[in-house]
Amino acid sequence: MGFEWDDHIALSRRDEGSFDADLEQGWTVGGGVNGGYLLSVIGNAISQTLPGKPDPVSVSAHYLSATTPGPATVSTRVLREGGRFATVAADLAQGAGTRITALATYADLSALPDEVSTTAVEPDIAPRDQCVSNEFAPAELRKVAPLMDRFDLLFDPTCIGWAVGEPSRRGLLQGWFRLKDGRDPDPIELLMVCDALPPVSMDFGVMGWAPTLELTVHVRAVPAPGWVKVSHRTRNIAGGMFEEDCEVWDSAGRLVAQSRQLAMWPRA
Amino acid sequence: MGFEWDDHIALSRRDEGSFDADLEQGWTVGGGVNGGYLLSVIGNAISQTLPGKPDPVSVSAHYLSATTPGPATVSTRVLREGGRFATVAADLAQGAGTRITALATYADLSALPDEVSTTAVEPDIAPRDQCVSNEFAPAELRKVAPLMDRFDLLFDPTCIGWAVGEPSRRGLLQGWFRLKDGRDPDPIELLMVCDALPPVSMDFGVMGWAPTLELTVHVRAVPAPGWVKVSHRTRNIAGGMFEEDCEVWDSAGRLVAQSRQLAMWPRA
């Protein structure tokens, strides 16, 4: 059986370095298309451009203007090949307008050395049966955020107070994440996971949309099958912007992705 | 009086979007040119390309190949202008080879809102007169690392054990930083500061060079005059790579830059 995710990030190759995509309505939130999903679409195009180096190691994207569902073009340009790493520039465009521009370094993650030494601490998230599922979100919210039907997101109970008017004000959102129908994670999918949760500004009771200026994701390992833990944290709100640091940990207890984005603080 | 820093990052404009640079021998370390200095050279070119938006807000650079002192070209291409932000692609090349490719979002930092809300904690660094100055580095080290003559770097005494064979193994380097002759920091200079310290791998007793794959710097405010505090931390060494998270705090106690780089773990 195919999973909807694979259809949603599918591309048809137009020529050497350009691809047609059909951006899925189901990944919209508040009218815009989720930036993490778009990064996975771009990441998929880069992967197909690089035989033998399928996996993102580091992807940096600057978001220029809002994307709408429907046709889009991803163009890739290989800047360096050879050795263990390749570097590629990629743009996602609709009509004449570039929406997202990205730089990426790719490799074959499974061919890298196995040693791991981590002092980072796995997010402390309650067991799944004690978490609050996004399936309990009010119908009117789901209507403006169809992306919530794309995945199971189980919020740690200490991070969901904002939904009932009692934000924790710690600048922390965390929970369990899994694509719909239990599709297992992979390196390309992790690009989306790093931007799938609501903005951490909600943990301050600020409910608006937080447009991403820049998002960099480092994929540190191929994720094991199963649920992942995701945490989003901000520690500096300044100049009308905030950083959002994300970690993704896999079911084997390994830190598989680290990302940071700089986003606009929502208008009150 | 002019400061050497301003000469070292100086450019002569060739045309609308391309600049000639002369990369300074004095910023080399182990034969290569420091990647932070190079990012400031690129950042300076972008600044000169964008009237009214002089300051980096977010700069993402992927390092393709080693740079040598001498002539280089920086070419810039404006991807978005208008409103508060502009986005630019920039490459630094020597001869036919692109050495660094970057994407940057710029603005006028002084025109952004003043409010700040920070839960990040200022690095705990001993007073300057209790720190260990880079001027005490052995002569043979200074010979392979001329960049150490470009700035005053005062290491917190708890972070310098590696220099005498007793690394703390915490994955933490921090100290006070100031350009030579007391030149005050500015947003372009902060791009360098985020990559000026030795690699944090040294705090594990691993003394080799750690080539940068990717470096993203967010400049969060115009720094106040005076010394800055710099901290470098890693929490995940895996697949032969490690992330290095840097914070720069200014003399007014404000978090002025946050960066993360992904670098190769040095060969033993």
Side-chain angles (χ1 to χ4, degrees), chain A residues 11-12 14-21 41-43 45-46 49 72-78 88-94 97-103, chain B residues 77:
Chain A
L11 299 159
S12 65
R14 191 186 285 181
D15 59 41
E16 179 71 21
S18 76
F19 299 83
D20 288 312
V41 171
I42 294 171
I46 297 170
T49 306
T73 307
V74 183
S75 51
T76 62
R77 189 163 50 93
V78 178
V88 176
D91 293 311
L92 186 147
Q94 291 190 303
T98 300
R99 306 303 187 197
I100 303 172
T101 182
L103 293 169
Chain B
R77 190 163 48 92

Side-chain angles (χ1 to χ4, degrees), chain B residues 36 59 64 71 91 111 133 146 160 181 200 203 206 235 260 267:
Chain B
V59 181
L64 307 183
D91 292 312
S133 168
I160 193 65
D181 301 320
V200 69
D203 191 44
V206 177
R235 299 181 308 126
R260 175 174 291 158
R267 296 204 185 108

Side-chain angles (χ1 to χ4, degrees), chain B residues 63-221:
Chain B
Y63 290 76
L64 307 183
S65 57
T67 305
T68 52
T73 306
V74 183
S75 51
T76 62
R77 190 163 48 92
V78 178
L79 304 175
R80 176 187 58 178
E81 248 287 26
R84 275 184 294 175
F85 298 98
T87 305
V88 175
D91 292 312
L92 185 146
Q94 291 190 302
T98 300
R99 307 302 187 198
I100 303 171
T101 183
L103 294 170
T105 295
Y106 269 53
D108 178 355
L109 282 173
S110 66
L112 295 177
D114 272 338
E115 307 94 87
V116 182
S117 167
T118 303
T119 57
V121 178
E122 192 169 347
D124 180 20
I125 303 181
R128 286 195 291 278
D129 60 3
Q130 294 168 30
C131 286
V132 180
S133 168
N134 60 331
E135 68 181 290
F136 297 119
E140 65 266 33
L141 179 56
R142 297 181 79 95
K143 205 175 347 184
V144 297
L147 95 165
M148 296 232 288
D149 293 321
R150 305 279 77 74
F151 46 76
D152 300 313
L153 174 58
L154 310 177
F155 278 103
D156 186 77
T158 69
C159 296
I160 193 65
W162 53 270
V164 291
E166 292 170 15
S168 86
R169 300 189 180 280
R170 295 178 297 171
L172 177 64
L173 288 187
Q174 51 190 24
W176 297 91
F177 183 97
R178 190 180 67 168
L179 275 173
K180 198 176 164 180
D181 301 320
R183 186 194 184 281
D184 283 319
D186 63 34
I188 299 285
E189 182 250 8
L190 291 179
L191 302 177
M192 174 274 293
V193 176
C194 288
D195 192 43
L197 269 60
V200 69
S201 39
M202 292 200 174
D203 191 44
F204 292 92
V206 177
M207 288 294 132
W209 179 239
T212 301
L213 289 170
E214 192 270 344
L215 168 60
T216 294
V217 180
H218 296 326
V219 179
R220 304 300 303 275

Side-chain angles (χ1 to χ4, degrees), chain A residues 128 152-154 176-178 185 224-229 249-251:
Chain A
R128 286 195 290 278
D152 299 314
L153 175 58
L154 309 177
W176 297 90
F177 183 96
R178 191 179 68 167
W227 291 82
V228 294
K229 289 180 176 176
W249 293 70
D250 74 4
S251 63

Side-chain angles (χ1 to χ4, degrees), chain A residues 4-5 8 22-34 37 68-70 142-151 179-180:
Chain A
E4 65 167 36
W5 171 254
H8 291 174
D22 188 14
L23 304 178
E24 170 60 37
Q25 173 73 38
W27 280 97
T28 56
V29 48
V33 184
N34 174 257
Y37 161 65
T68 52
R142 297 181 80 94
K143 207 178 342 184
V144 297
L147 94 165
M148 297 232 287
D149 294 322
R150 306 279 77 72
F151 45 75
L179 275 173
K180 199 175 165 180

